[in-house]
Amino acid sequence: MSVQSAGTRSLTTTSLREMKRREEKIAAITAYDYLFARLVDEAGADVVLVGDSLAQVVLGYDSTLPVTLDDMIHHACAVRRGIKRALLVVDLPFLTYQVSREEAIRNAGRVLKETGAAAVKLEGGSDEMAETVRALVRVGIPVMGHLGFTPQSVNTMGGSRVQGREQGGGERLLAEAKALEEAGAFSVVLELVPGPVAESVTAALEIPTIGIGAGVGCDGQVLVLHDMLGLNDGFRPRFLRRYAEMAATTREAVGEYVRTVRAGEYPAPEHTFE
Ligand code: KIV
């Protein structure tokens, strides 16, 4: 097997807990291929997530639902080859862990065995989901939870919207986060959650919270790489900060390439072998 052994990785699930204890912010980011994984690892990301956002930003689907376990494993293997330091977490896609605990263990186990990832992430905080987390942790599979807006439930949540605003919503989110922690999750993503709710969940947990659209009070942040690089340039939610405008840069560069090829300016003599 070509994957790196766990012993050569420098960050572990316990490193994240220690970072929370030391009040050091955790920087997480998604990646889906070898080259970007190498770049984000070299740039110092603490956690690299092969998110099921793969479905949208790489495979062109309009939700995360169609992506398969084989798709996730294929991309996670490429990402693993690019990472030296960061903790690699892989999303379990829709219907690979909800049907039964046995299926969840088999599918999450495949992810760890075939990709060399350190952990899986799954969505939801129901009592059944907490029991699934407990079952996975019991067989040695570390789990990151995901609460608030959970994209695999986009059809029952009525679209991509902020969660926990309704009467009792904050208390429900807190109870779900506590249940995931008690079941053994090592961290939890809070997506599209009001800032004060995310802050009180963060204060109540010993495990770190990783926010996306959840304000400043989380222990860390995660963004989809293609969104923060401005590659996915039609996507402009309020929480997103763009650190580059790579869609525009790519169009300009490729447009210039097309122009120079058509004009006979490229290749020039210096690009030509004697
Ligand atoms: O799939 C994904 O990229 C995610 C992050 C947005 C947290 O789950």
Side-chain angles (χ1 to χ4, degrees):
M1 197 160 69
S2 61
V3 294
Q4 264 178 293
S5 77
T8 60
R9 278 179 225 137
S10 45
L11 283 189
T12 64
T13 54
T14 38
S15 315
L16 299 196
R17 272 183 109 116
E18 284 156 16
M19 286 174 80
K20 173 166 180 145
R21 222 172 298 125
R22 293 196 298 265
E23 297 185 15
E24 269 172 44
K25 293 279 188 186
I26 298 163
I29 194 150
T30 68
Y32 315 95
D33 63 21
Y34 163 75
L35 189 58
F36 272 123
R38 185 160 65 72
L39 295 176
V40 302
D41 190 65
E42 286 168 2
D46 302 308
V47 177
V48 173
L49 170 69
V50 184
D52 58 357
S53 49
L54 168 73
Q56 290 140 307
V57 296
V58 175
L59 301 179
Y61 295 116
D62 62 4
S63 80
T64 60
L65 273 62
V67 79
T68 66
L69 189 64
D70 286 340
D71 291 332
M72 296 300 296
I73 288 175
H74 176 74
H75 285 266
C77 286
V79 168
R80 170 74 265 168
R81 291 190 280 269
I83 289 182
K84 289 203 172 85
R85 173 185 171 271
L87 182 81
L88 176 59
V89 182
V90 179
D91 261 343
L92 291 179
F94 182 55
L95 285 195
T96 61
Y97 58 96
Q98 293 95 336
V99 176
S100 72
R101 263 165 230 146
E102 289 74 15
E103 270 192 38
I105 292 174
R106 195 162 293 118
N107 290 328
R110 265 194 74 194
V111 170
L112 260 61
K113 278 169 85 93
E114 295 178 32
T115 72
V120 296
K121 176 164 81 58
L122 53 72
E123 297 181 3
S126 63
D127 292 347
E128 294 83 48
M129 201 51 71
E131 287 316 309
T132 299
V133 170
R134 194 186 311 283
L136 290 171
V137 173
R138 201 176 280 146
V139 298
I141 301 173
V143 180
M144 177 181 270
H146 186 153
L147 297 174
F149 175 63
T150 46
Q152 292 175 15
S153 304
V154 63
N155 292 312
T156 46
M157 286 181 156
S160 160
R161 53 202 323 159
V162 176
Q163 302 293 310
R165 273 182 170 152
E166 73 285 2
Q167 187 73 20
E171 287 78 8
R172 183 180 48 78
L173 205 85
L174 177 59
E176 290 178 350
K178 290 288 265 182
L180 291 180
E181 176 175 76
E182 192 275 324
F186 71 88
S187 170
V188 61
V189 167
L190 300 177
E191 178 164 357
L192 298 186
V193 169
V197 172
E199 214 174 307
S200 56
V201 171
T202 301
L205 297 186
E206 279 177 32
I207 59 171
T209 59
I210 311 287
I212 173 163
V216 297
C218 294
D219 299 303
Q221 293 294 317
V222 61
L223 282 177
V224 168
L225 180 67
H226 293 50
D227 299 342
M228 60 83 74
L229 290 179
L231 273 167
N232 189 16
D233 60 348
F235 185 63
R236 294 180 171 275
R238 171 174 173 172
F239 68 80
L240 176 65
R241 175 165 169 190
R242 283 200 189 162
Y243 290 79
E245 292 298 337
M246 282 182 57
T249 306
T250 304
R251 278 191 209 100
E252 271 166 39
V254 177
E256 180 60 2
Y257 164 71
V258 170
R259 187 196 67 72
T260 57
V261 168
R262 288 188 180 148
E265 292 172 18
Y266 177 82
E270 65 269 26
H271 306 120
T272 308
F273 299 107
E274 291 299 321

